[in-house]
Amino acid sequence: MRNSQTRRTLLAAAAALLAAGSGARAQPRKLRLLCLGDSLTAGYLLPAGEGFAPQLEKALRARGLDVEAIDAGVSGDTAQAGLERLDWALGEGADAAIVELGANDMFRGAPPSRVLAALDAILIRLKEKGVRPILAGMKASRGMGADYVAAFDAVYPELARKHGVALYPFFLEGVAGDPALNLPDGIHPTREGVARIVAGILPLVEAELREIGG
């Protein structure tokens, strides 16, 4: 009788431990989101915590996602420079990566084909490492001439189609050209401008992260 009771007690304890372990495994894991970009990502001239990555992380957490947004924005970076530091920027790895590059290439008049080649290599490398890319598009200044504008603007949709990755068509949507949302240079967003960018891209990023398992 005593042996039978002891056996039932042990079985109950084992079942409780298994249930607890199963519950722990079911908890969503923390996701790492790399924000690879230039000064637009880096929060140029903004106080700490007001740039793109911190504001996006806060918005994602408010939507119930346990996310660490890694600020890998470097002012002045071209698409090629982003490619060259990609492995270092990934560090311990990431689940997804927002790629926001190309504006500096455009302002320097770099051939769109060069931008495409560098971004193409970034997307290939991210996918090889098991990181889901989210491509943030850029548009050429209309002063660059019609042919250049057409070629540059086509880079991002072409790459998104080729690699089957999510595309946010224009990173500065709703912000570009609005003096109230940009610093005096007319190029870099204010804190409020960054908030507008985050609000625009948030649904896409959230959907991608939830597919990963957030």
Side-chain angles (χ1 to χ4, degrees):
M1 180 70 176
R2 183 175 300 172
N3 287 340
S4 177
Q5 189 173 27
T6 301
R7 184 170 177 273
R8 285 198 298 271
T9 301
L10 289 173
L11 287 173
L17 286 172
L18 286 172
S22 176
R25 286 193 297 273
Q27 292 299 314
R29 62 187 179 86
K30 186 169 189 175
L31 298 172
R32 288 170 57 85
L33 172 64
L34 181 71
C35 299
L36 181 74
D38 48 38
S39 55
L40 299 176
T41 291
Y44 178 74
L45 293 184
L46 297 180
E50 295 186 358
F52 175 70
Q55 287 204 43
L56 179 60
E57 179 180 297
K58 183 178 179 180
L60 289 167
R61 286 179 174 274
R63 304 283 297 208
L65 286 165
D66 187 9
V67 179
E68 177 189 3
I70 304 159
D71 185 353
V74 174
S75 295
D77 255 12
T78 60
Q80 181 62 36
L83 170 62
E84 291 170 358
R85 66 182 174 87
L86 176 58
D87 290 340
W88 174 84
L90 279 169
E92 298 177 1
D95 297 286
I98 297 173
V99 180
E100 177 277 304
L101 289 162
N104 288 310
D105 301 79
M106 179 268 296
F107 282 126
R108 298 171 190 179
S113 59
R114 185 188 304 170
V115 182
L116 187 147
L119 291 175
D120 184 52
I122 289 174
L123 296 177
I124 290 172
R125 190 169 301 178
L126 286 171
K127 294 176 78 174
E128 287 175 346
K129 291 180 175 292
V131 180
R132 178 178 293 209
I134 300 169
L135 186 59
M138 187 54 58
K139 292 184 178 180
S141 168
R142 305 298 101 167
M144 297 298 291
D147 290 344
Y148 187 93
V149 167
F152 185 90
D153 288 5
V155 164
Y156 301 89
E158 179 178 337
L159 287 171
R161 286 192 297 271
K162 176 182 177 181
H163 293 282
V165 301
L167 171 67
Y168 186 66
F170 184 32
F171 189 69
L172 295 175
E173 184 66 42
V175 175
D178 187 340
L181 297 176
N182 285 279
L183 298 174
D185 64 11
I187 297 173
H188 296 95
T190 60
R191 179 180 64 81
E192 293 78 14
V194 172
R196 179 71 63 85
I197 293 170
V198 168
I201 202 172
L202 180 63
L204 175 63
V205 177
E206 180 184 0
E208 291 294 300
L209 293 179
R210 289 198 185 281
E211 280 196 20
I212 293 171

